[in-house]
Amino acid sequence: VVTYPGKPVGAVTLANDAFTGNSTHSGPVYQDPECPGCSWDMRAGGAVFVGGAGAPTQIIGCTFTSNRTGDAPAGYDPSWPGSGMFSHGGAVYVSGAPLTVTDSVFTDNATGTGSTGEAGLGVGKGGAIYGGENTTLTVTGSSFTGNGTGPGGGATSGNGGNGGNGGAIFVFFGSTLNVSDAVFTGNSTGPGGT
């Protein structure tokens, strides 16, 4: 499920759906010859990506199992658009809108691994859910089991990349997280690269 990044969209409601084994791409950074400098290489949201400004999103009674975001591209170059740095949300990525998750199950979802380059590239945040800027995330009656973020990339010189933050959920600075009647078991974050 994808809504067009940065464009206003209507409300998104997912009810009693199952998302299993979905993933975003790995490999080289996508370079659009028709749009030099455009950042089309978003690898976020292994199953669901909602990037439209202001679109309220509801997830009700859904299961998310073994979804994954793509690995960062090899040979990281910070001048690349996208650069694989946006591999957030192993199952769900929402930014700029309220997200409500009710009676849902997240199991074994993950973000990809960082890449090795001159400086190691960090990896995506939020093994199950990533709430981006200006997001209010409300989670009720849901479970998160065995979700995780990948390890940071190694470095040929300089520092290795950071492992991802938020084994189950990551919420961007300044956004809001409300959780009630939820169970978190065996979620983990990846180690940093060397």
Side-chain angles (χ1 to χ4, degrees), residues 97-109:
L99 169 62
T100 302
V101 178
T102 307
D103 299 332
S104 294
V105 177
F106 295 81
T107 307
D108 296 332
N109 301 286

Side-chain angles (χ1 to χ4, degrees), residues 72-192:
Y76 170 57
D77 178 339
S79 69
W80 290 343
S83 303
M85 294 182 71
F86 304 110
S87 299
H88 303 315
V92 177
Y93 173 102
V94 174
S95 185
L99 169 62
T100 302
V101 178
T102 307
D103 299 332
S104 294
V105 177
F106 295 81
T107 307
D108 296 332
N109 301 286
T111 61
T113 62
S115 70
T116 296
E118 183 174 333
L121 180 60
V123 296
K125 298 172 174 63
I129 299 175
Y130 177 89
E133 294 181 74
N134 303 313
T135 297
T136 297
L137 171 56
T138 302
V139 177
T140 305
S142 298
S143 67
F144 298 81
T145 304
N147 303 287
T149 58
T156 55
S157 63
N159 297 320
N162 295 326
N165 300 325
I169 299 172
F170 179 90
V171 178
F172 195 82
F173 306 108
S175 292
T176 302
L177 173 62
N178 302 300
V179 178
S180 61
D181 299 321
V183 177
F184 296 84
T185 306
N187 302 287
S188 61
T189 58

Side-chain angles (χ1 to χ4, degrees), residues 7-8 14 21 25-26 35 37 46 52 62 64 69 81 88 95 97 108 112 117 131 136 142 146 152 158 164 170 191:
K7 301 294 183 182
L14 305 171
H25 82 97
S26 294
C35 185
C62 293
F64 294 85
T69 58
H88 303 315
S95 185
D108 296 332
T136 297
S142 298
F170 179 90

Side-chain angles (χ1 to χ4, degrees), residues 26-83:
S26 294
V29 171
Y30 175 65
Q31 300 278 1
D32 186 347
E34 301 297 318
C35 185
C38 292
S39 296
W40 300 136
D41 198 54
M42 295 289 284
R43 301 172 185 220
V48 176
F49 179 104
V50 179
T57 301
Q58 294 186 77
I59 296 174
I60 304 164
C62 293
T63 61
F64 294 85
T65 307
S66 299
N67 301 288
R68 188 176 189 276
T69 58
D71 296 334
Y76 170 57
D77 178 339
S79 69
W80 290 343
S83 303

